[in-house]
Amino acid sequence: MRIGELAEKTGVSVRALRYYEEKGMLVPERSAGGHRTYADTGVGMVWLIQQFYAAGLSSKSIQAILPSVRAGRATPEALELLVAERDRIDKLARELADARERLDIIITNAGADSCAKPPNGDETPPDSFRPH
């Protein structure tokens, strides 16, 4: 199938497919006329690339994992990379949860009058913005 048909079947733009190709994540064949052609398995590969992106992986990480996918078995290096990515996402989730908790405290403690400028240029935040 041609690139436009692959884009239509996958819901991914032609531009994105060309990017995947440029990064070596999607490998088309070339017709005698030089046009990109993709096997039916290209649909599944694009879906998988999209799943990796949705899971928070970078294109560099995806590039590192795809050889294992193509080989049909995960290498220890690919598994190590996936675990490292999961750990990175877990850390980000904890950091976001902490930021949300801090924001909840600020929201809870903030009163209508506490948003006014501190008197006499005092830069100390009002008590309503401090954790209790």
Side-chain angles (χ1 to χ4, degrees), residues 1-2 5-6 9-10 26-29 37-48:
M1 80 184 84
R2 306 255 319 250
E5 186 180 353
L6 182 60
K9 285 186 175 186
T10 59
L26 188 62
V27 183
E29 296 176 9
T37 59
Y38 298 88
D40 290 338
T41 57
V43 172
M45 185 59 71
V46 171
W47 178 85
L48 183 60

Short mmCIF file of all heavy atoms in Angstrom, two decimals, residues 1-2 5-6 9-10 26-29 37-48:
data_model
loop_
_atom_site.label_atom_id
_atom_site.label_comp_id
_atom_site.label_asym_id
_atom_site.label_seq_id
_atom_site.Cartn_x
_atom_site.Cartn_y
_atom_site.Cartn_z
N MET A 1 0.85 -1.18 0.00
CA MET A 1 0.00 0.00 0.00
C MET A 1 0.89 1.23 0.00
O MET A 1 2.01 1.20 0.50
CB MET A 1 -0.96 -0.05 1.18
CG MET A 1 -0.40 0.36 2.52
SD MET A 1 -1.53 0.17 3.90
CE MET A 1 -1.26 -1.56 4.26
N ARG A 2 0.38 2.33 -0.49
CA ARG A 2 1.11 3.58 -0.56
C ARG A 2 0.97 4.32 0.76
O ARG A 2 0.11 4.01 1.59
CB ARG A 2 0.59 4.43 -1.72
CG ARG A 2 0.59 3.70 -3.06
CD ARG A 2 1.65 4.06 -4.06
NE ARG A 2 2.02 5.42 -4.24
CZ ARG A 2 1.76 6.14 -5.31
NH1 ARG A 2 1.05 5.63 -6.31
NH2 ARG A 2 2.21 7.36 -5.42
N GLU A 5 -2.49 5.65 1.80
CA GLU A 5 -3.41 4.61 2.24
C GLU A 5 -3.07 4.17 3.67
O GLU A 5 -3.96 3.95 4.49
CB GLU A 5 -3.33 3.41 1.29
CG GLU A 5 -4.34 2.33 1.58
CD GLU A 5 -4.24 1.16 0.60
OE1 GLU A 5 -3.48 1.23 -0.38
OE2 GLU A 5 -4.93 0.15 0.86
N LEU A 6 -1.78 4.06 3.96
CA LEU A 6 -1.37 3.71 5.33
C LEU A 6 -1.81 4.79 6.31
O LEU A 6 -2.31 4.48 7.40
CB LEU A 6 0.15 3.51 5.40
CG LEU A 6 0.71 3.09 6.75
CD1 LEU A 6 0.12 1.76 7.21
CD2 LEU A 6 2.24 3.01 6.68
N LYS A 9 -5.56 4.35 6.84
CA LYS A 9 -5.89 3.15 7.64
C LYS A 9 -5.51 3.30 9.11
O LYS A 9 -6.13 2.70 9.98
CB LYS A 9 -5.20 1.92 7.07
CG LYS A 9 -5.83 1.39 5.81
CD LYS A 9 -5.18 0.09 5.39
CE LYS A 9 -5.92 -0.49 4.19
NZ LYS A 9 -5.40 -1.82 3.84
N THR A 10 -4.48 4.08 9.39
CA THR A 10 -3.99 4.20 10.76
C THR A 10 -4.44 5.47 11.47
O THR A 10 -4.31 5.58 12.68
CB THR A 10 -2.44 4.16 10.79
OG1 THR A 10 -1.93 5.25 10.01
CG2 THR A 10 -1.91 2.83 10.27
N LEU A 26 9.86 2.91 10.86
CA LEU A 26 8.96 2.34 9.86
C LEU A 26 9.77 2.23 8.58
O LEU A 26 10.34 3.22 8.12
CB LEU A 26 7.75 3.27 9.67
CG LEU A 26 6.62 2.77 8.82
CD1 LEU A 26 5.98 1.51 9.41
CD2 LEU A 26 5.56 3.86 8.66
N VAL A 27 9.83 1.02 8.05
CA VAL A 27 10.68 0.78 6.89
C VAL A 27 9.84 0.37 5.69
O VAL A 27 9.34 -0.76 5.63
CB VAL A 27 11.73 -0.31 7.19
CG1 VAL A 27 12.67 -0.49 6.00
CG2 VAL A 27 12.52 0.04 8.45
N PRO A 28 9.67 1.30 4.73
CA PRO A 28 8.91 0.96 3.54
C PRO A 28 9.81 0.31 2.49
O PRO A 28 11.03 0.39 2.57
CB PRO A 28 8.42 2.32 3.05
CG PRO A 28 9.54 3.24 3.42
CD PRO A 28 10.06 2.71 4.75
N GLU A 29 9.17 -0.30 1.55
CA GLU A 29 9.88 -0.75 0.36
C GLU A 29 9.69 0.35 -0.67
O GLU A 29 8.90 1.27 -0.46
CB GLU A 29 9.28 -2.07 -0.13
CG GLU A 29 9.44 -3.20 0.86
CD GLU A 29 8.77 -4.48 0.40
OE1 GLU A 29 8.31 -4.54 -0.76
OE2 GLU A 29 8.69 -5.40 1.21
N THR A 37 6.12 1.98 -0.55
CA THR A 37 5.05 0.99 -0.43
C THR A 37 5.24 0.28 0.90
O THR A 37 6.37 0.06 1.35
CB THR A 37 5.04 -0.04 -1.58
OG1 THR A 37 6.29 -0.74 -1.61
CG2 THR A 37 4.81 0.64 -2.92
N TYR A 38 4.13 -0.01 1.52
CA TYR A 38 4.16 -0.65 2.84
C TYR A 38 3.40 -1.96 2.79
O TYR A 38 2.33 -2.05 2.18
CB TYR A 38 3.53 0.27 3.89
CG TYR A 38 4.26 1.57 4.05
CD1 TYR A 38 3.95 2.67 3.25
CD2 TYR A 38 5.27 1.70 4.98
CE1 TYR A 38 4.63 3.87 3.39
CE2 TYR A 38 5.96 2.91 5.12
CZ TYR A 38 5.64 3.97 4.31
OH TYR A 38 6.31 5.15 4.46
N ALA A 39 3.94 -2.95 3.47
CA ALA A 39 3.23 -4.22 3.60
C ALA A 39 2.05 -4.01 4.54
O ALA A 39 1.98 -3.03 5.28
CB ALA A 39 4.18 -5.28 4.18
N ASP A 40 1.12 -4.95 4.53
CA ASP A 40 -0.03 -4.87 5.42
C ASP A 40 0.39 -4.81 6.89
O ASP A 40 -0.32 -4.26 7.72
CB ASP A 40 -0.98 -6.04 5.19
CG ASP A 40 -1.71 -5.94 3.86
OD1 ASP A 40 -1.81 -4.83 3.31
OD2 ASP A 40 -2.17 -6.98 3.37
N THR A 41 1.56 -5.36 7.20
CA THR A 41 2.06 -5.33 8.57
C THR A 41 2.41 -3.91 9.01
O THR A 41 2.59 -3.66 10.20
CB THR A 41 3.31 -6.22 8.72
OG1 THR A 41 4.30 -5.78 7.78
CG2 THR A 41 2.97 -7.68 8.49
N GLY A 42 2.51 -2.97 8.06
CA GLY A 42 2.80 -1.58 8.41
C GLY A 42 1.73 -0.98 9.30
O GLY A 42 2.02 -0.14 10.16
N VAL A 43 0.48 -1.42 9.11
CA VAL A 43 -0.62 -0.91 9.95
C VAL A 43 -0.35 -1.28 11.41
O VAL A 43 -0.46 -0.43 12.31
CB VAL A 43 -1.98 -1.46 9.47
CG1 VAL A 43 -3.09 -1.09 10.45
CG2 VAL A 43 -2.30 -0.97 8.07
N GLY A 44 0.02 -2.51 11.65
CA GLY A 44 0.31 -2.94 13.02
C GLY A 44 1.52 -2.25 13.60
O GLY A 44 1.55 -1.91 14.79
N MET A 45 2.53 -2.02 12.76
CA MET A 45 3.73 -1.34 13.24
C MET A 45 3.42 0.10 13.63
O MET A 45 3.89 0.57 14.67
CB MET A 45 4.83 -1.39 12.18
CG MET A 45 6.15 -0.83 12.66
SD MET A 45 6.86 -1.65 14.11
CE MET A 45 7.35 -3.20 13.41
N VAL A 46 2.63 0.78 12.83
CA VAL A 46 2.25 2.16 13.16
C VAL A 46 1.44 2.16 14.46
O VAL A 46 1.66 3.00 15.34
CB VAL A 46 1.47 2.82 12.01
CG1 VAL A 46 0.88 4.16 12.45
CG2 VAL A 46 2.37 2.99 10.79
N TRP A 47 0.53 1.22 14.61
CA TRP A 47 -0.26 1.12 15.85
C TRP A 47 0.68 0.94 17.04
O TRP A 47 0.52 1.61 18.07
CB TRP A 47 -1.25 -0.04 15.75
CG TRP A 47 -2.05 -0.21 17.01
CD1 TRP A 47 -3.19 0.44 17.35
CD2 TRP A 47 -1.73 -1.08 18.12
NE1 TRP A 47 -3.62 0.04 18.60
CE2 TRP A 47 -2.73 -0.89 19.09
CE3 TRP A 47 -0.71 -1.97 18.38
CZ2 TRP A 47 -2.73 -1.58 20.30
CZ3 TRP A 47 -0.71 -2.65 19.59
CH2 TRP A 47 -1.72 -2.46 20.53
N LEU A 48 1.66 0.06 16.91
CA LEU A 48 2.59 -0.19 18.00
C LEU A 48 3.42 1.06 18.33
O LEU A 48 3.59 1.40 19.51
CB LEU A 48 3.52 -1.36 17.65
CG LEU A 48 4.50 -1.79 18.74
CD1 LEU A 48 3.76 -2.24 19.99
CD2 LEU A 48 5.39 -2.91 18.21
#
